[in-house]
Amino acid sequence: MAASLQSANPTLSRTLASTNKSPSFATFRSPFLRFNSTSVASNFKPLVSREASSSFVTRSAAEPQERKTFHGLCYVVGDNIDTDQIIPAEFLTLVPSNPDEYEKLGSYALVGLPASYKERFVQPGEMKTKYSIIIGGENFGCGSSREHAPVCLGAAGAKAVVAQSYARIFFRNSVATGEVYPLDSEVRVCDECKTGDVATVELREGDSILINHTTGKEYKLKPIGDAGPVIDAGGIFAYARKAGMIPSAAA
């Protein structure tokens, strides 16, 4: 795990090399991740234990990943949709771990889009969106590292984002929070779909597809890989508890 982080971030590599102690996880608190930090032991098990890999992480050929299906209306956006457009900075004071503020955060999802988007993702006065699938172009989620971005989409009721490419930090935050599935399309689906089209996303290891029922077209999606089980579990900490990597919240 440390090696992969170091290769992705040279600054982190130098930081890790300068200390012989890992930071105490028990002191970490995040308003985005719903867990009791005081219940987590500071002496961790390995990221993937043998017990976890046999019972949760790996699947035999006889036990394929359960197919997940999301069906509903599409909301189509273009390239370079940044985090200011997804959730403007003025709403970052809302704390997602508070249920009322979490719901309110969803009501502001994609409110920063320019006026050229005639249809609002969440209608004024509503708390939830009628669009369960967001379709975007290149570099979706660029900008700041705010975790509010994927959280507000999930809070609004979106299940998946299908885009040509993502900003790395948005993809990672989507997985860590477990709020939405960030799915890569092999073609520019945003040029062939319109807001309001009826669509289905079918997720399964190796053969995920997007079906636009309005146009009758189908689009192959790239496998989401190891990120899938983390999102299925509800985020990185829920995944770690389920796999036995960290104590459960009730322990």
Side-chain angles (χ1 to χ4, degrees), residues 106-123:
S107 71
Y108 297 120
L110 290 170
V111 75
L113 288 174
S116 56
Y117 288 85
K118 303 300 183 183
E119 182 72 17
R120 288 277 298 271
F121 181 64
V122 180
Q123 292 300 312

Side-chain angles (χ1 to χ4, degrees), residues 20-250:
N20 293 324
K21 286 188 176 182
S22 298
S24 173
F25 188 77
T27 63
F28 176 79
R29 290 175 174 81
S30 170
F32 303 94
L33 306 171
R34 302 177 183 90
F35 74 105
N36 181 0
S37 61
T38 58
S39 68
V40 180
S42 58
N43 53 334
F44 289 145
K45 295 181 180 180
L47 183 61
V48 179
S49 64
R50 292 182 180 179
E51 294 79 11
S53 64
S54 62
S55 63
F56 180 75
V57 177
T58 61
R59 300 182 181 89
S60 68
E63 297 177 319
Q65 181 180 339
E66 179 184 356
R67 182 180 294 274
K68 286 186 174 293
T69 301
F70 308 119
H71 180 78
L73 300 178
C74 294
Y75 189 84
V76 182
V77 296
D79 296 326
N80 302 310
I81 299 301
D82 63 39
T83 52
D84 283 321
Q85 293 174 319
I86 297 172
I87 185 70
E90 63 190 281
F91 304 118
L92 300 185
T93 56
L94 295 170
V95 180
S97 58
N98 180 311
D100 291 336
E101 295 190 15
Y102 174 81
E103 187 176 16
K104 190 173 183 180
L105 186 65
S107 71
Y108 297 120
L110 290 170
V111 75
L113 288 174
S116 56
Y117 288 85
K118 303 300 183 183
E119 182 72 17
R120 288 277 298 271
F121 181 64
V122 180
Q123 292 300 312
E126 299 292 327
M127 303 299 284
K128 298 292 183 182
T129 183
K130 62 181 179 181
Y131 304 103
S132 57
I133 301 168
I134 300 169
I135 296 178
E138 295 182 350
N139 202 27
F140 187 93
C142 58
S144 75
S145 61
R146 64 190 69 165
E147 290 175 302
H148 286 78
V151 171
C152 77
L153 299 179
K159 302 299 182 183
V161 180
V162 176
Q164 192 172 6
S165 65
Y166 294 89
R168 179 182 296 180
I169 190 62
F170 177 87
F171 186 96
R172 293 179 66 176
N173 284 340
S174 297
V175 176
T177 60
E179 290 286 348
V180 292
Y181 288 81
L183 306 169
D184 289 276
S185 57
E186 296 191 343
V187 298
R188 282 185 63 82
V189 181
C190 64
D191 290 342
E192 301 188 20
C193 296
K194 295 181 179 179
T195 294
D197 285 357
V198 180
T200 298
V201 171
E202 292 187 358
L203 294 183
R204 189 171 180 180
E205 192 171 347
D207 64 348
S208 297
I209 58 171
L210 168 70
I211 306 168
N212 187 325
H213 300 285
T214 302
T215 64
K217 293 185 177 181
E218 294 188 7
Y219 305 92
K220 187 176 180 180
L221 305 177
K222 297 177 183 179
I224 196 168
D226 292 338
V230 180
I231 304 172
D232 291 345
I236 190 69
F237 286 101
Y239 174 87
R241 289 193 203 99
K242 188 173 181 180
M245 300 175 192
I246 61 176
S248 66

